[in-house]
Amino acid sequence: MHPYDHPFDRYDGYDGYRFDEPTLDRVTHLVFVDGRLVDTWREPATGTQWEAVALRHDREARPPAPPPKAQHERVMEWLVDVCGSRAAVDALTAEPLGDDATDLPTEYAERAAGDRMVATAELLDAIAARSFDTESSHAFRHALLALWAEDPETVTRAATAAHLAGGIVWAVGKANGLFHPAGPLRVGVVQQDLALRSPISSYGGTVRAGLRGFRGQPIDGWGRPGGVPDLLALGRSDLLLGVTRARLLRIRDRARAAAEAA
């Protein structure tokens, strides 16, 4: 029986097909007497004289491994993951974030939601003034408004406004490399300022998921190509500071130059 035809085959990426030898009857015995078939049975190949043949068939059945991607291709994929799309990468500028479109909504279906938004915005402004800068406050406010527009449950589901503010600061800060070891500030400082007993990253993952939405599977630390900064990929360039986008611009231009030279 050919490996592809077996109903219990399991594909294991580009390492080939793996078979559960003890349970798969890969060797079929046919017994003929005077040219007539009188008996048949099947058994696993493991431990038999046919095991080497089965293993050779396994190797032959493996699909060829794809050629490794060039470094500049992997870098461009990472840039798309960080910025959200190829168009966003192409449109990158080093202009700092402004305070345009940072006003909170004035009407809410429930008063509690409005109170949560106002309290969180005030906490974000206070944290930015204490530990960051004005542009960072704009990024935090953009993130809060994006959550309310795209995933309002992330806003209302947080235990307190402090938990939500901490999660936003963590996500936006990590997306811009502001926290140690990439940046000078330690996350514990923000946790202390917000009087939280739990790390700000505890709700930061929820905030990240809300901001990223369905913008593809994020590239984790193991898949991140060499030579690029360790930034939390939110899939949106509207939360990146001017200094961060300037850094990404240099990386983009180097990747393009490498692609043209290839």
Side-chain angles (χ1 to χ4, degrees):
M1 179 176 290
H2 193 282
Y4 287 145
D5 298 330
H6 204 290
F8 299 104
D9 290 352
R10 293 210 316 272
Y11 184 62
D12 189 24
Y14 284 99
D15 290 332
Y17 282 81
R18 296 191 297 113
F19 303 92
D20 292 331
E21 294 288 359
T23 59
L24 296 184
D25 299 330
R26 298 187 62 188
V27 177
T28 302
H29 296 267
L30 305 176
V31 178
F32 291 86
V33 175
D34 295 331
R36 297 181 179 180
L37 180 65
V38 296
D39 197 3
T40 178
W41 72 91
R42 296 178 179 180
E43 65 180 7
T46 302
T48 71
Q49 67 187 95
W50 313 110
E51 181 175 4
V53 177
L55 292 175
R56 185 175 71 248
H57 289 174
D58 289 351
R59 290 192 296 269
E60 294 172 351
R62 293 175 183 172
K69 291 182 179 179
Q71 179 74 352
H72 62 80
E73 293 178 335
R74 297 183 62 224
V75 169
M76 288 302 298
E77 289 179 354
W78 174 82
L79 285 170
V80 169
D81 189 50
V82 170
C83 297
S85 67
R86 178 74 65 163
V89 174
D90 294 338
L92 278 174
T93 70
E95 292 295 322
L97 289 175
D99 60 354
D100 55 305
T102 57
D103 293 335
L104 298 181
T106 57
E107 297 183 3
Y108 299 90
E110 299 179 2
R111 179 177 178 178
D115 293 342
R116 171 60 57 84
M117 289 287 287
V118 171
T120 303
E122 292 176 349
L123 287 173
L124 291 173
D125 290 345
I127 290 296
R130 180 187 295 269
S131 301
F132 297 94
D133 55 22
T134 302
E135 187 184 2
S136 297
S137 70
H138 301 332
F140 298 154
R141 184 70 71 94
H142 280 303
L144 175 61
L145 292 172
L147 283 175
W148 181 248
E150 300 177 20
D151 190 17
E153 288 188 359
T154 300
V155 174
T156 58
R157 193 170 59 239
T160 65
H163 286 84
L164 175 59
I168 289 174
V169 172
W170 179 86
V172 175
K174 295 286 286 185
N176 286 280
L178 301 180
F179 287 119
H180 184 80
L185 188 67
R186 294 187 177 274
V187 294
V189 173
V190 177
Q191 176 186 340
Q192 183 177 359
D193 289 344
L194 290 170
L196 290 173
R197 303 179 67 177
S198 58
I200 60 175
S201 59
S202 61
Y203 202 67
T206 302
V207 169
R208 181 197 189 185
L211 290 172
R212 186 176 180 91
F214 302 111
R215 294 175 176 86
Q217 181 68 25
I219 297 175
D220 58 22
W222 294 103
R224 180 166 50 90
V228 300
D230 185 8
L231 303 179
L232 184 71
L234 298 179
R236 45 195 322 148
S237 57
D238 58 332
L239 303 181
L240 301 178
L241 304 178
V243 65
T244 305
R245 282 182 277 111
R247 193 174 186 182
L248 298 182
L249 273 171
R250 292 191 293 271
I251 294 173
R252 184 198 69 183
D253 293 344
R254 292 186 65 187
R256 286 178 173 176
E260 293 174 356

